[in-house]
Every structure is written in C-alpha cells, then in structure tokens.
Amino acid sequence: MKIQSVFDPAFARYGKVITGLDTDALIAALEKTEKPADAVIYLPSVASLEETDLYPILRDNVYGGMPIQIGFCNGTNTKLNCVEYHRDSEINIPAQDMVFLVACESDLVDGHLDTAKVEAFRAPAGAAVELYATTLHYAPCDAVSGAGFRVAVVLPKDTNTDKPEIQNRTPEDALLWARNKWLIAHPDSTEAAAGAFVGLDGENPDIAALI
C-alpha cells in the first residue's frame, strides 16, 4: 500500500475535494474539541461546530437543503479495523493532515471485502473532502506518526445515532449497526468483539510504517 493524495485522479472513484468553502471558523472551533492521545472518539452532532457560519452553507449548498449534522472524529489511529457506508455522501474537514483508508461498495461480495483492495489517501488540513455513498470508510488515520487528528464529520441529521428496530428481511440487514450506518468489521477489531458483522478478509491494513 502507498499513501496517495485526495487530489490524485485515483481518488475520483471514492470522492472529491469541494472547493469554494471557507473552513477557517469551523477549524478554529474544531481545534477546541477533545482529542485523546491513545484512542478515537466520535460525536455525531456538536453545537460549537454547528453554530459556525459554514453550517448553513454545508446544509444548503452542499446537501441541497437537507437537514444535516456536524460532529467530529478525533484521536489517533493507523488501522482500518472496520468499514462503514451510508445512503449518502459524507464530508470530512480535517484540522490537521489525515489519511483515509477506503474501498468501493462494489468490491463487496456477500458482505465481505478483501482488504487487499483498500487504498490510502492523504487529505490536507482545511480541505472539505466528500466521500461518496458508495465509498467504504471508517475512522481517520494519522498522517504523521503520533500526531493524531481532529476531523469535522458532516452527515444527514441523526446519522450514527440509535439503530432503528427492524425485522431482518435482507442480507444487508445484518450489517446495520446504527441509524444510516452499515458496518463490516475485521475479526481483530473491538467492534467484532461487540457483535458487529465480520466480513473484512485478510490482514487489517495498518499505515504505521508509512507515516
């Protein structure tokens, strides 16, 4: 595996960088949020981020007027561990350079993914990076060893909140982990130990030696 750039043509199948957005105020608010030194935390909706001037622009210009939430994913990480997907795009805006580990939903076979298909892409601080609904992704990764990350995460409102109570009717229902969140775990992950669907086959990708 090599670490590519979100500006490389190879990233086009996974997403794009949205230009024309002033992310400075959002980044300033993000920098005041908690960042653990040895773990990753995620909050779906954070008032201090949603009170910035960028919120209505993301809601109306980027999501076409759909209700949205802005939360964060902060901490330090170098492994894939799981992949997730939603029924819509996700926007990530990092305060520090970070790395995405991604694959395509079309690479799934009966809910399983060969981890050899995972690719790594570095995103610069302040960029607004859209991950398409068909892009498998999970927690950000450090771009510099031990530096950690703070990343604002924009999604439709209530995504990643409590899982709806459903009767399983399709094979995909086994992957539903939270609201608008389908999850596939590596057997070595804590999510697998907690009961998540195990479908990542092969080594658990780790970029520690690349940063």
Side-chain angles (χ1 to χ4, degrees):
M1 180 184 290
K2 65 177 181 179
I3 298 179
Q4 304 168 82
S5 168
V6 293
F7 296 102
D8 291 343
F11 188 67
R13 66 192 300 231
Y14 302 113
K16 65 184 179 183
V17 178
I18 300 173
T19 59
L21 301 180
D22 184 349
T23 62
D24 288 352
L26 179 65
I27 294 299
L30 182 61
E31 287 281 18
K32 298 176 182 178
T33 60
E34 176 186 0
K35 184 178 79 170
D38 56 356
V40 175
I41 57 171
Y42 170 73
L43 292 178
S45 179
V46 178
S48 63
L49 305 182
E50 295 175 350
E51 290 166 357
T52 63
D53 291 343
L54 191 57
Y55 177 86
I57 296 170
L58 289 166
R59 179 193 62 204
D60 297 337
N61 295 67
V62 177
Y63 279 90
M66 292 293 291
I68 63 166
Q69 63 192 25
I70 306 179
F72 66 72
C73 190
N74 297 351
T76 183
N77 177 53
T78 61
K79 293 183 177 181
L80 179 64
N81 294 318
C82 297
V83 295
E84 67 177 357
Y85 60 93
H86 314 292
R87 288 291 191 246
D88 42 72
S89 288
E90 173 179 316
I91 311 299
N92 288 262
I93 305 174
Q96 298 87 25
D97 289 9
M98 50 81 69
V99 175
F100 293 104
L101 296 178
V102 294
C104 283
E105 187 179 351
S106 58
D107 290 326
L108 293 175
V109 179
D110 296 328
H112 284 253
L113 175 73
D114 178 355
T115 58
K117 295 182 179 294
V118 173
E119 296 191 88
F121 292 89
R122 182 175 180 138
V129 183
E130 177 178 358
L131 298 179
Y132 298 144
T134 52
T135 297
L136 305 174
H137 62 282
Y138 204 47
C141 290
D142 299 9
V144 177
S145 182
F149 49 81
R150 287 184 175 89
V151 181
V153 180
V154 188
L155 282 160
K157 188 172 175 59
D158 295 331
T159 296
N160 290 327
T161 59
D162 291 343
K163 174 185 172 180
E165 295 296 328
I166 62 169
Q167 180 181 353
N168 285 3
R169 298 180 182 275
T170 75
E172 190 182 31
D173 291 340
L175 280 57
L176 188 63
W177 188 249
R179 191 176 303 272
N180 192 26
K181 177 192 184 85
W182 289 263
L183 184 72
I184 303 170
H186 191 275
D188 294 343
S189 68
T190 57
E191 289 85 350
F197 178 85
V198 176
L200 295 186
D201 303 327
E203 295 184 2
N204 187 8
D206 188 342
I207 65 166
L210 303 177
I211 56 176

